[in-house]
């Protein structure tokens, strides 16, 4: 092709047809420019196609993370609400004048659940990767980006808030350490009897029940334990609305991303 154009130029010059040569040269330049523009257009189109594929991949991964977090906030709300209920029922025992009516085994199980600590760890793998790699701007839908950033900030806030609960929980465990001794009433535990091949006598169960009552009573009578339980319960209770809001925000963002993926299916 290059040889073909060169021959034309040489022929025009040899025939002293300078005006035609000039027109031809301009035309050749235009053709070269058009070729470059077409190549750039193709290259840009390929690049946009690659970016769209990366964007859709991120959006699908975000959906996976959001689905996990929706379950997390729902389960956390349920667990914390139940813990508040158990703590308040334990505190209410101070006002129970009929101690003989208390089911100490059930109370011990409820109290154990109430003071079981669970860290809140929302799944943020995809968002963190996008943020650290500078790929957050690859998401073209501004509403999705704004909600992602806001959700991440809310996650950070609730985790920081929960650290105060963790501190209170540690104080409860420290204060109750010498008041609640599980090994004294081990025969009453179904887990203990499942793994230990020992036949307990009636007296063993009676002694274990007595030890359980003493431990529970010591905890209930201890003001430091009860005060910290009350603080923990209050913190948990105030967090419930935040968990519900997070669950709703996650679901809303989930729906928005799913719609974006659906709308981009033909891209």
């Amino acid at each position: 092709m290059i040889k073909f154009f060169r021959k034309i130029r040489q022929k025009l010059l040899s025939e002293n047809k300078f005006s035609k040569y000039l027109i031809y040269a301009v035309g050749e330049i235009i053709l070269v420019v058009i070729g470059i523009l077409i190549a750039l257009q193709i290259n840009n189109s390929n690049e946009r196609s690659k970016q769209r594929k990366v964007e859709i991949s991120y959006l699908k991964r975000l959906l996976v993370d959001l689905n996990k977090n929706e379950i997390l906030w729902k389960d956390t709300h349920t667990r914390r609400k139940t813990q508040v209920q158990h703590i308040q029922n334990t505190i209410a025992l101070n006002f129970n004048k009929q101690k003989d009516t208390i089911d100490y085994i059930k109370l011990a199980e409820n109290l154990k659940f109430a003071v079981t600590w669970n860290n809140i760890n929302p799944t943020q793998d995809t968002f963190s990767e996008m943020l650290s790699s500078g790929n957050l701007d690859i998401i073209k839908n501004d509403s999705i980006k704004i909600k992602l950033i806001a959700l991440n900030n809310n996650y950070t806030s609730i985790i920081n808030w929960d650290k105060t609960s963790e501190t209170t929980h540690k104080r409860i465990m420290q204060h109750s350490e010498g008041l609640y001794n599980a090994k004294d009433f081990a025969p009453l535990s179904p887990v203990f009897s499942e793994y230990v091949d020992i036949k307990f006598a009636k007296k063993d169960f009676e002694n274990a029940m007595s030890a359980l009552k003493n431990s529970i009573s010591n905890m209930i009578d201890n003001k430091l334990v009860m005060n910290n339980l009350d603080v923990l319960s209050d913190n948990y209770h105030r967090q419930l609305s935040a968990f519900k809001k997070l669950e709703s925000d996650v679901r809303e963002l989930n729906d928005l991303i799913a719609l974006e993926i659906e709308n981009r299916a033909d891209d």
Side-chain angles (χ1 to χ4, degrees), residues 115-153:
V115 298
T116 296
W117 178 255
N118 298 93
N119 286 313
I120 298 177
N121 294 310
T123 302
Q124 285 282 78
D125 295 345
T126 305
F127 179 80
S128 297
E129 179 185 321
M130 293 172 68
L131 207 59
S132 62
S133 63
N135 282 331
L136 186 59
D137 285 338
I138 205 170
I139 304 298
K140 300 305 180 186
N141 190 317
D142 288 336
S143 295
I144 291 177
K145 281 193 289 189
I146 291 171
K147 289 182 181 297
L148 271 173
I149 294 170
L151 196 59
N152 177 69
N153 291 337

Side-chain angles (χ1 to χ4, degrees), residues 193-245:
S193 58
E194 180 179 345
Y195 289 95
V196 179
D197 187 19
I198 299 176
K199 302 299 182 182
F200 295 106
K202 182 179 179 180
K203 188 64 176 178
D204 295 322
F205 286 104
E206 291 175 350
N207 291 336
M209 180 58 74
S210 177
L212 176 62
K213 289 181 179 180
N214 288 334
S215 289
I216 296 293
S217 298
N218 289 337
M219 290 187 66
I220 294 173
D221 292 338
N222 188 285
K223 291 184 178 181
L224 286 174
V225 173
M226 288 297 106
N227 286 341
N228 280 289
L229 275 174
D230 189 47
V231 171
L232 187 66
S233 172
D234 179 66
N235 226 7
Y236 282 175
H237 175 70
R238 289 187 294 111
Q239 286 178 337
L240 293 179
S241 58
F243 295 143
K244 274 295 182 185
K245 180 67 166 57

Side-chain angles (χ1 to χ4, degrees), residues 23 33 40 49 56 61 86-88 104 110 117 125-127 152 192 196 205 221-222 232 234 243 251 265:
I23 294 172
V33 171
L40 288 173
S49 179
I56 295 300
R61 288 172 58 190
H86 289 332
I87 291 173
Q88 291 302 321
Y104 282 95
N110 292 344
W117 178 255
D125 295 345
T126 305
F127 179 80
N152 177 69
F192 186 84
V196 179
F205 286 104
D221 292 338
N222 188 285
L232 187 66
D234 179 66
F243 295 143
R251 190 182 306 114

